[in-house]
Amino acid sequence: MTEGKIIEYIDQRKIVLSVCVKDRGNKLQLLTISNHEVSISPKRALLISSATLNTSMPRGEILQELKVIEKIRTDYMTAISVQDLWELTHEENRAFTYKYLAQLSFGRDITDDHISALVRTLFADGAYFKIKDGSFIPNSPDKIEQILKAREIAELRERELAEGANFLKAVINHRHPEEFPLKDKVIELLIQLALYGKDAPDYKLGKEMFSRAGIKNIDNARHILVDLNIWDEDENLDLHRFKIESDFSELALKETANVIKKEVGSPERKDLQDLSIFTIDGPYTKDFDDALSLEPIEGGYRLGVHITDLTPFIKVDGHLDREASNRASSIYLPVTQIPMLPPGLSDNTLSLVKGFKRFAISLFANFDRDLNLKNYHFMPTIIRVEKQLTYDQVNRRYTKEPIFSALYQLCQALRQKRVDNGAMLIPLPEIHFEFDNNSGIFPRLIEQDTPSKIIVSECMILYNWLTAKFASEKGLPILYRSQEAPQERLPIDESKYIYYVFRQRRKLRPLYIDTIPHPHSSLGVDIYTNATSPLRRYMDVLVQRQICSAILQKSPEYEELRLKELNMMIQQTLKDIDLMKRNQVRYWMLKYLAGCINDSFHAIVFQKFKHKYSIILTDLLFVADLPNVRGLELSPGEEIKVAVKKSDPWDDILILEIAN
């Protein structure tokens, strides 16, 4: 019988001191030191003392006796060195009784209190010994190291949780949070949660920290980062998700400085500095990589398309080259521009800036009086831009100045030839956001089908087409850009032009890049590449290097296999950039619409689904959802008016309804 015996058992990973007040055979009725009555199985008893207590005493006196025993056993624990015990026993590789280990610690004359102190100490330590079937077994050194490391990680995690929760409480309560050693880790966790939500690597840790701080929704991570001035209110999260760098490495900048100092001059190049050459770009353009010239010749015209030549300056596999390949493209967003090359090169040394001597790869194409292409050739040149013109300037001058009038007629003829070969002309204005100093947002549609835009686009298409043709005829490996014929060619509907264009664009096949040439259906050319923007696109750099090597009768820089490898890398980056651009346009459009609550907009029904319609806001060329309203039936192509009820760019929410 165990009635009156002092019994210790484990509950919630703690040893509990108690006295048995009733032994029922299969159950022991216990009174714990904390004055609770519990019932346990005899198998759960860890230690049963030899001495007994008089359980007929008043409960208060029993509890007082238990407290005295608890203090004696706790005091004895301080005399035990767990590590010394382990050093004495671990090489024997066997189990040891509680009594034996207690005697090693206290000598041969021991009591129940000594044994309890030993068991409590080894159990509390948990690293050097494991308890099994009434004995302790020393752990191996590797196991001890593993346990201590896990304990260190757990302690650090608990510290992160506690300090992080206090930090978050201070922020959300608008108190100035105190600095603490783990602040950077907590901020990194906030960034994880803001970027990836439930997919964040440390989501569970973040959720627990938020819970302790009294924050229910992890989406508040973004608000907290803004409150801490770590992020702007309009922070572009995709820049973080895709790990897009805006700064250049020290090595790349050092290489840039060397390029800037490089002298421009080469006996292999034709000096065309006396040729009248001009650029046509937007009013804020700084990275000029293409320029034009047009000369009357006997029986027609000589068109020059001059592309800045990077090959003498950007060393293959150098620091600048590797950073450019990693970036794949310059990025142009509503409020952010991230160049592919350092601005000292893209906006200055390698840019076709007016009045400066520059290297170029020039295409000269000769046309007869009927504007038919007679012949063409590429050459490495030295040029000097005479005029830096904007699209608007050319639009105003093309009917008044003979050179622009002739150039426009030539480009119209080039365009018509492409249409005759199946090209699809489905231009729409591009959305452009303007901002004022009062945080106002003004979306503006910029027409793409103007004379100046047609001139530039047709000259660039010609250059890219003939570059691809040149490479193919030479058997030179390059990257070709292709597109299969559309799934369907819809009849043009001028009365509902926007609706027609959106539908037709849905029918287009995806573009693809390969080392094998195929037709480019929507451009109406039999072969095509990208070579006209080496300051902005890395694919153009690769193609330019190959073309330049052929012109100068040197070995190609790249074999076909290497081009395929580089293409795989840059195409994934370009997909990320394209997604980011779409997300940014959507973000700023929703932010603009957030200031238009209850305002009405013209729209066209684009598609009908089970529970909603897809519509096009025609003044903004923006696709949005419209909930299906019972009793109201809309048809694709139908013109309607909708009102903005809610728009939240942070949560990507736009709620529209039919306007009254």
Side-chain angles (χ1 to χ4, degrees), residues 455-499:
I455 288 171
V456 172
S457 65
E458 289 303 326
C459 288
M460 297 310 112
I461 291 171
L462 178 71
Y463 191 102
N464 288 327
W465 170 52
L466 293 178
T467 299
K469 194 176 181 66
F470 174 83
S472 178
E473 290 172 353
K474 295 279 186 182
L476 184 68
I478 66 166
L479 294 173
Y480 295 95
R481 180 172 173 170
S482 310
Q483 185 184 41
E484 294 180 2
Q487 302 170 38
E488 181 184 2
R489 286 181 179 264
L490 303 174
I492 297 175
D493 185 351
E494 294 291 351
S495 64
K496 295 181 179 179
Y497 180 73
I498 292 175
Y499 176 59

Short mmCIF file of all heavy atoms in Angstrom, two decimals, residues 455-499:
data_model
loop_
_atom_site.label_atom_id
_atom_site.label_comp_id
_atom_site.label_asym_id
_atom_site.label_seq_id
_atom_site.Cartn_x
_atom_site.Cartn_y
_atom_site.Cartn_z
N ILE A 455 7.09 56.28 -87.81
CA ILE A 455 8.44 56.38 -88.36
C ILE A 455 9.43 55.55 -87.54
O ILE A 455 10.18 54.72 -88.08
CB ILE A 455 8.90 57.85 -88.41
CG1 ILE A 455 8.14 58.61 -89.51
CG2 ILE A 455 10.41 57.95 -88.65
CD1 ILE A 455 8.38 60.11 -89.48
N VAL A 456 9.42 55.75 -86.23
CA VAL A 456 10.38 55.05 -85.37
C VAL A 456 10.12 53.54 -85.40
O VAL A 456 11.06 52.75 -85.57
CB VAL A 456 10.33 55.60 -83.94
CG1 VAL A 456 11.19 54.74 -83.01
CG2 VAL A 456 10.80 57.05 -83.91
N SER A 457 8.86 53.14 -85.23
CA SER A 457 8.58 51.70 -85.15
C SER A 457 8.92 51.00 -86.46
O SER A 457 9.50 49.90 -86.46
CB SER A 457 7.12 51.46 -84.78
OG SER A 457 6.25 51.92 -85.79
N GLU A 458 8.61 51.61 -87.61
CA GLU A 458 8.89 50.96 -88.89
C GLU A 458 10.40 50.87 -89.15
O GLU A 458 10.88 49.86 -89.68
CB GLU A 458 8.20 51.70 -90.03
CG GLU A 458 6.70 51.54 -90.06
CD GLU A 458 6.25 50.09 -90.15
OE1 GLU A 458 6.95 49.28 -90.80
OE2 GLU A 458 5.20 49.76 -89.56
N CYS A 459 11.14 51.89 -88.76
CA CYS A 459 12.60 51.84 -88.94
C CYS A 459 13.23 50.79 -88.04
O CYS A 459 14.17 50.09 -88.46
CB CYS A 459 13.21 53.21 -88.66
SG CYS A 459 12.85 54.45 -89.94
N MET A 460 12.70 50.63 -86.82
CA MET A 460 13.24 49.61 -85.92
C MET A 460 12.87 48.21 -86.40
O MET A 460 13.67 47.28 -86.34
CB MET A 460 12.73 49.83 -84.49
CG MET A 460 13.18 51.15 -83.86
SD MET A 460 14.95 51.49 -83.97
CE MET A 460 14.95 52.88 -85.11
N ILE A 461 11.63 48.05 -86.89
CA ILE A 461 11.21 46.74 -87.43
C ILE A 461 12.08 46.38 -88.63
O ILE A 461 12.53 45.23 -88.78
CB ILE A 461 9.72 46.77 -87.81
CG1 ILE A 461 8.85 46.85 -86.55
CG2 ILE A 461 9.34 45.52 -88.62
CD1 ILE A 461 7.38 47.09 -86.82
N LEU A 462 12.36 47.37 -89.49
CA LEU A 462 13.21 47.12 -90.66
C LEU A 462 14.60 46.67 -90.21
O LEU A 462 15.16 45.70 -90.76
CB LEU A 462 13.32 48.40 -91.50
CG LEU A 462 14.22 48.31 -92.73
CD1 LEU A 462 13.58 47.42 -93.80
CD2 LEU A 462 14.53 49.70 -93.30
N TYR A 463 15.18 47.38 -89.25
CA TYR A 463 16.53 47.03 -88.77
C TYR A 463 16.54 45.61 -88.19
O TYR A 463 17.44 44.82 -88.50
CB TYR A 463 16.95 48.04 -87.70
CG TYR A 463 18.41 47.96 -87.29
CD1 TYR A 463 19.33 48.87 -87.78
CD2 TYR A 463 18.86 46.99 -86.41
CE1 TYR A 463 20.67 48.82 -87.41
CE2 TYR A 463 20.19 46.92 -86.03
CZ TYR A 463 21.10 47.84 -86.53
OH TYR A 463 22.43 47.77 -86.15
N ASN A 464 15.55 45.29 -87.38
CA ASN A 464 15.50 43.96 -86.76
C ASN A 464 15.27 42.86 -87.79
O ASN A 464 15.86 41.78 -87.71
CB ASN A 464 14.40 43.93 -85.69
CG ASN A 464 14.77 44.74 -84.46
OD1 ASN A 464 15.94 44.83 -84.10
ND2 ASN A 464 13.77 45.34 -83.82
N TRP A 465 14.42 43.15 -88.75
CA TRP A 465 14.15 42.17 -89.81
C TRP A 465 15.41 41.90 -90.63
O TRP A 465 15.79 40.74 -90.86
CB TRP A 465 13.02 42.69 -90.71
CG TRP A 465 12.81 41.90 -91.97
CD1 TRP A 465 12.64 40.55 -92.07
CD2 TRP A 465 12.78 42.42 -93.31
NE1 TRP A 465 12.49 40.19 -93.40
CE2 TRP A 465 12.58 41.31 -94.17
CE3 TRP A 465 12.89 43.70 -93.85
CZ2 TRP A 465 12.48 41.45 -95.56
CZ3 TRP A 465 12.79 43.84 -95.22
CH2 TRP A 465 12.59 42.73 -96.08
N LEU A 466 16.09 42.96 -91.05
CA LEU A 466 17.28 42.79 -91.88
C LEU A 466 18.46 42.22 -91.08
O LEU A 466 19.30 41.50 -91.63
CB LEU A 466 17.67 44.11 -92.53
CG LEU A 466 16.66 44.63 -93.58
CD1 LEU A 466 17.10 45.97 -94.14
CD2 LEU A 466 16.47 43.60 -94.71
N THR A 467 18.51 42.51 -89.78
CA THR A 467 19.54 41.89 -88.93
C THR A 467 19.34 40.38 -88.89
O THR A 467 20.30 39.60 -89.04
CB THR A 467 19.48 42.46 -87.50
OG1 THR A 467 19.74 43.86 -87.54
CG2 THR A 467 20.50 41.78 -86.60
N ALA A 468 18.08 39.96 -88.70
CA ALA A 468 17.78 38.53 -88.68
C ALA A 468 18.09 37.89 -90.03
O ALA A 468 18.63 36.78 -90.11
CB ALA A 468 16.31 38.32 -88.30
N LYS A 469 17.74 38.59 -91.10
CA LYS A 469 17.98 38.10 -92.45
C LYS A 469 19.49 37.95 -92.70
O LYS A 469 19.96 36.93 -93.23
CB LYS A 469 17.37 39.09 -93.45
CG LYS A 469 17.22 38.60 -94.87
CD LYS A 469 16.49 39.66 -95.69
CE LYS A 469 16.28 39.23 -97.12
NZ LYS A 469 15.36 38.08 -97.23
N PHE A 470 20.24 38.95 -92.29
CA PHE A 470 21.70 38.93 -92.44
C PHE A 470 22.30 37.74 -91.70
O PHE A 470 23.14 37.00 -92.24
CB PHE A 470 22.26 40.25 -91.90
CG PHE A 470 23.76 40.33 -91.85
CD1 PHE A 470 24.49 40.68 -92.97
CD2 PHE A 470 24.45 40.06 -90.67
CE1 PHE A 470 25.88 40.76 -92.92
CE2 PHE A 470 25.83 40.14 -90.61
CZ PHE A 470 26.54 40.49 -91.74
N ALA A 471 21.88 37.54 -90.44
CA ALA A 471 22.43 36.44 -89.63
C ALA A 471 22.07 35.09 -90.23
O ALA A 471 22.90 34.17 -90.29
CB ALA A 471 21.91 36.54 -88.20
N SER A 472 20.83 34.96 -90.68
CA SER A 472 20.38 33.69 -91.26
C SER A 472 21.17 33.35 -92.52
O SER A 472 21.61 32.21 -92.71
CB SER A 472 18.89 33.76 -91.57
OG SER A 472 18.44 32.57 -92.16
N GLU A 473 21.36 34.34 -93.37
CA GLU A 473 22.10 34.10 -94.62
C GLU A 473 23.57 33.77 -94.36
O GLU A 473 24.19 33.02 -95.11
CB GLU A 473 21.99 35.33 -95.52
CG GLU A 473 20.58 35.53 -96.09
CD GLU A 473 20.42 36.85 -96.82
OE1 GLU A 473 21.37 37.67 -96.76
OE2 GLU A 473 19.35 37.06 -97.44
N LYS A 474 24.13 34.32 -93.28
CA LYS A 474 25.53 34.06 -92.93
C LYS A 474 25.70 32.77 -92.12
O LYS A 474 26.83 32.36 -91.84
CB LYS A 474 26.08 35.22 -92.10
CG LYS A 474 26.17 36.56 -92.84
CD LYS A 474 27.41 36.62 -93.69
CE LYS A 474 27.57 38.00 -94.31
NZ LYS A 474 28.76 38.06 -95.20
N GLY A 475 24.57 32.15 -91.72
CA GLY A 475 24.66 30.99 -90.84
C GLY A 475 25.18 31.35 -89.46
O GLY A 475 25.81 30.53 -88.77
N LEU A 476 24.90 32.57 -89.03
CA LEU A 476 25.41 33.10 -87.77
C LEU A 476 24.39 32.82 -86.66
O LEU A 476 23.22 33.20 -86.76
CB LEU A 476 25.60 34.61 -87.92
CG LEU A 476 26.22 35.38 -86.75
CD1 LEU A 476 27.67 34.97 -86.57
CD2 LEU A 476 26.11 36.88 -87.02
N PRO A 477 24.78 32.13 -85.58
CA PRO A 477 23.81 31.86 -84.51
C PRO A 477 23.41 33.14 -83.76
O PRO A 477 24.28 33.88 -83.28
CB PRO A 477 24.56 30.90 -83.58
CG PRO A 477 26.01 31.09 -83.88
CD PRO A 477 26.09 31.52 -85.30
N ILE A 478 22.13 33.42 -83.71
CA ILE A 478 21.59 34.53 -82.91
C ILE A 478 20.28 34.06 -82.30
O ILE A 478 19.81 32.95 -82.56
CB ILE A 478 21.35 35.81 -83.75
CG1 ILE A 478 20.23 35.59 -84.78
CG2 ILE A 478 22.62 36.32 -84.39
CD1 ILE A 478 19.69 36.89 -85.38
N LEU A 479 19.67 34.93 -81.54
CA LEU A 479 18.35 34.66 -80.98
C LEU A 479 17.31 35.33 -81.88
O LEU A 479 17.39 36.53 -82.14
CB LEU A 479 18.24 35.20 -79.56
CG LEU A 479 19.12 34.51 -78.52
CD1 LEU A 479 19.05 35.24 -77.18
CD2 LEU A 479 18.74 33.04 -78.35
N TYR A 480 16.35 34.53 -82.35
CA TYR A 480 15.28 35.03 -83.21
C TYR A 480 14.00 35.17 -82.39
O TYR A 480 13.73 34.38 -81.48
CB TYR A 480 15.03 34.09 -84.38
CG TYR A 480 16.19 33.97 -85.34
CD1 TYR A 480 17.12 32.95 -85.22
CD2 TYR A 480 16.34 34.89 -86.38
CE1 TYR A 480 18.19 32.83 -86.10
CE2 TYR A 480 17.41 34.80 -87.26
CZ TYR A 480 18.33 33.76 -87.12
OH TYR A 480 19.38 33.67 -87.99
N ARG A 481 13.21 36.16 -82.76
CA ARG A 481 11.91 36.38 -82.10
C ARG A 481 10.82 36.01 -83.10
O ARG A 481 10.81 36.51 -84.23
CB ARG A 481 11.78 37.83 -81.69
CG ARG A 481 10.47 38.17 -81.00
CD ARG A 481 10.51 39.57 -80.44
NE ARG A 481 9.23 39.99 -79.92
CZ ARG A 481 9.04 41.08 -79.20
NH1 ARG A 481 10.06 41.87 -78.92
NH2 ARG A 481 7.84 41.40 -78.77
N SER A 482 9.91 35.12 -82.70
CA SER A 482 8.91 34.59 -83.63
C SER A 482 7.52 34.59 -82.99
O SER A 482 7.37 34.72 -81.78
CB SER A 482 9.28 33.16 -84.05
OG SER A 482 10.62 33.09 -84.48
N GLN A 483 6.53 34.43 -83.87
CA GLN A 483 5.14 34.33 -83.40
C GLN A 483 4.32 33.60 -84.45
O GLN A 483 4.33 33.97 -85.63
CB GLN A 483 4.55 35.72 -83.15
CG GLN A 483 3.15 35.69 -82.55
CD GLN A 483 2.57 37.09 -82.41
OE1 GLN A 483 2.72 37.92 -83.30
NE2 GLN A 483 1.90 37.35 -81.30
N GLU A 484 3.64 32.56 -84.02
CA GLU A 484 2.79 31.80 -84.95
C GLU A 484 1.55 32.61 -85.31
O GLU A 484 1.20 33.59 -84.65
CB GLU A 484 2.39 30.47 -84.31
CG GLU A 484 3.56 29.52 -84.10
CD GLU A 484 3.11 28.21 -83.47
OE1 GLU A 484 1.88 28.04 -83.25
OE2 GLU A 484 3.97 27.36 -83.19
N ALA A 485 0.88 32.17 -86.37
CA ALA A 485 -0.35 32.85 -86.82
C ALA A 485 -1.39 32.83 -85.71
O ALA A 485 -1.44 31.89 -84.90
CB ALA A 485 -0.89 32.16 -88.07
N PRO A 486 -2.25 33.85 -85.63
CA PRO A 486 -3.26 33.90 -84.56
C PRO A 486 -4.26 32.76 -84.68
O PRO A 486 -4.43 32.17 -85.75
CB PRO A 486 -3.94 35.25 -84.78
CG PRO A 486 -3.68 35.60 -86.20
CD PRO A 486 -2.35 35.00 -86.54
N GLN A 487 -4.90 32.45 -83.57
CA GLN A 487 -5.93 31.40 -83.57
C GLN A 487 -7.05 31.75 -84.55
O GLN A 487 -7.64 30.87 -85.17
CB GLN A 487 -6.51 31.24 -82.17
CG GLN A 487 -5.49 30.92 -81.10
CD GLN A 487 -6.08 31.02 -79.71
OE1 GLN A 487 -7.23 30.65 -79.49
NE2 GLN A 487 -5.31 31.52 -78.76
N GLU A 488 -7.32 33.05 -84.66
CA GLU A 488 -8.41 33.52 -85.53
C GLU A 488 -8.17 34.99 -85.86
O GLU A 488 -7.67 35.75 -85.03
CB GLU A 488 -9.75 33.36 -84.79
CG GLU A 488 -10.96 33.79 -85.57
CD GLU A 488 -12.24 33.70 -84.75
OE1 GLU A 488 -12.16 33.34 -83.56
OE2 GLU A 488 -13.31 34.01 -85.31
N ARG A 489 -8.51 35.37 -87.09
CA ARG A 489 -8.45 36.78 -87.48
C ARG A 489 -9.89 37.31 -87.51
O ARG A 489 -10.69 36.86 -88.33
CB ARG A 489 -7.78 36.94 -88.84
CG ARG A 489 -6.28 36.75 -88.81
CD ARG A 489 -5.66 36.96 -90.18
NE ARG A 489 -4.22 36.81 -90.15
CZ ARG A 489 -3.35 37.81 -90.03
NH1 ARG A 489 -3.82 39.06 -89.96
NH2 ARG A 489 -2.06 37.60 -90.00
N LEU A 490 -10.16 38.24 -86.62
CA LEU A 490 -11.51 38.78 -86.52
C LEU A 490 -11.69 39.92 -87.51
O LEU A 490 -10.74 40.66 -87.81
CB LEU A 490 -11.77 39.28 -85.10
CG LEU A 490 -11.59 38.26 -83.98
CD1 LEU A 490 -11.73 38.95 -82.63
CD2 LEU A 490 -12.61 37.13 -84.11
N PRO A 491 -12.89 40.10 -88.03
CA PRO A 491 -13.15 41.25 -88.91
C PRO A 491 -13.04 42.55 -88.12
O PRO A 491 -13.51 42.64 -86.99
CB PRO A 491 -14.57 41.02 -89.41
CG PRO A 491 -15.20 40.11 -88.40
CD PRO A 491 -14.09 39.26 -87.86
N ILE A 492 -12.39 43.55 -88.72
CA ILE A 492 -12.21 44.83 -88.04
C ILE A 492 -13.56 45.51 -87.84
O ILE A 492 -14.37 45.59 -88.77
CB ILE A 492 -11.27 45.74 -88.84
CG1 ILE A 492 -9.88 45.10 -88.94
CG2 ILE A 492 -11.16 47.13 -88.20
CD1 ILE A 492 -8.92 45.88 -89.81
N ASP A 493 -13.80 45.99 -86.64
CA ASP A 493 -15.03 46.70 -86.31
C ASP A 493 -14.66 48.10 -85.84
O ASP A 493 -14.32 48.31 -84.67
CB ASP A 493 -15.81 45.94 -85.23
CG ASP A 493 -17.17 46.58 -84.93
OD1 ASP A 493 -17.42 47.68 -85.44
OD2 ASP A 493 -17.95 45.96 -84.19
N GLU A 494 -14.66 49.05 -86.74
CA GLU A 494 -14.26 50.42 -86.40
C GLU A 494 -15.22 51.07 -85.41
O GLU A 494 -14.84 51.93 -84.62
CB GLU A 494 -14.16 51.27 -87.67
CG GLU A 494 -13.05 50.86 -88.62
CD GLU A 494 -11.67 51.14 -88.06
OE1 GLU A 494 -11.57 51.82 -87.01
OE2 GLU A 494 -10.68 50.68 -88.67
N SER A 495 -16.49 50.67 -85.46
CA SER A 495 -17.49 51.28 -84.56
C SER A 495 -17.25 50.87 -83.11
O SER A 495 -17.63 51.59 -82.19
CB SER A 495 -18.90 50.88 -85.00
OG SER A 495 -19.09 49.48 -84.86
N LYS A 496 -16.66 49.69 -82.89
CA LYS A 496 -16.32 49.23 -81.54
C LYS A 496 -14.85 48.80 -81.54
O LYS A 496 -14.51 47.66 -81.25
CB LYS A 496 -17.23 48.08 -81.12
CG LYS A 496 -18.69 48.48 -80.97
CD LYS A 496 -19.54 47.30 -80.54
CE LYS A 496 -21.00 47.70 -80.37
NZ LYS A 496 -21.84 46.55 -79.98
N TYR A 497 -13.99 49.76 -81.88
CA TYR A 497 -12.59 49.44 -82.14
C TYR A 497 -11.90 48.85 -80.91
O TYR A 497 -11.16 47.86 -81.00
CB TYR A 497 -11.85 50.69 -82.63
CG TYR A 497 -10.39 50.43 -82.91
CD1 TYR A 497 -10.00 49.71 -84.03
CD2 TYR A 497 -9.41 50.91 -82.03
CE1 TYR A 497 -8.66 49.47 -84.29
CE2 TYR A 497 -8.06 50.67 -82.29
CZ TYR A 497 -7.70 49.95 -83.41
OH TYR A 497 -6.37 49.70 -83.66
N ILE A 498 -12.12 49.45 -79.75
CA ILE A 498 -11.45 48.96 -78.53
C ILE A 498 -11.87 47.53 -78.24
O ILE A 498 -11.03 46.67 -77.92
CB ILE A 498 -11.77 49.88 -77.34
CG1 ILE A 498 -11.13 51.25 -77.55
CG2 ILE A 498 -11.31 49.26 -76.03
CD1 ILE A 498 -11.47 52.28 -76.49
N TYR A 499 -13.16 47.27 -78.36
CA TYR A 499 -13.68 45.91 -78.13
C TYR A 499 -13.04 44.93 -79.11
O TYR A 499 -12.60 43.84 -78.74
CB TYR A 499 -15.20 45.92 -78.26
CG TYR A 499 -15.86 44.57 -78.14
CD1 TYR A 499 -15.73 43.81 -76.99
CD2 TYR A 499 -16.65 44.06 -79.19
CE1 TYR A 499 -16.35 42.57 -76.88
CE2 TYR A 499 -17.26 42.84 -79.08
CZ TYR A 499 -17.11 42.09 -77.93
OH TYR A 499 -17.71 40.86 -77.82
#
